Each structure stands twice: as structure tokens, then as C-alpha cells.
Amino acid sequence: TNLLHDKKLVVQYETGYRQAFTYNTYRLELGTKLLQLPLSVWYRKGYNSDLAQYFKKVESWGIEAEIGSF
């Protein structure tokens, strides 16, 4: 959801496809433009990070620059 011009807030929830509400994943993403470059900081906790390791619980975070986005 884009709340304000040049600001970004994403809250995402995913669940597993086999046993619903068992293998959940949460993601939070905050972004803004810095010198006209869209930058975001994100945090992710849960499953679904990699199909090869689908049932392994992981926690990760990162910084990304998005070309051609908000």
C-alpha cells in the first residue's frame, strides 16, 4: 500500500499451500526516495523463502533499491 507520495509501506502475510495457517510468513517493508532513488528496508520471518527448503523457518532482512517503482 502506497500511503503518501514517495513513501512506501508493505505488510505481507503468506500461508502454506498444504496445511493452511501452519507455515506462515510475515514481511514488513518500509521505503522512501533518497536523491530520487527508491530505497526500501525489509524484514521477513517464516517459511516460503526458497522452494528447495520450504519447511525450514528463516528470518532475514535487507536493503533494496528499486528501479522503476514507486
Side-chain angles (χ1 to χ4, degrees), residues 13-63:
Y13 169 79
E14 296 177 9
T15 184
Y17 63 90
R18 198 162 208 197
Q19 295 172 326
F21 309 109
T22 301
Y23 297 100
N24 303 311
T25 300
Y26 305 93
R27 180 181 169 108
L28 175 65
E29 186 174 336
L30 303 170
T32 190
K33 284 190 177 180
L34 182 63
L35 301 174
Q36 299 303 314
L37 179 64
L39 293 175
S40 296
V41 176
W42 58 269
Y43 171 76
R44 180 180 178 119
K45 183 175 182 176
Y47 301 85
N48 308 337
S49 65
D50 187 334
L51 188 56
Q53 298 178 354
Y54 184 81
F55 296 107
K56 182 178 179 183
K57 192 168 188 176
V58 295
E59 186 172 1
S60 57
W61 63 275
I63 300 171

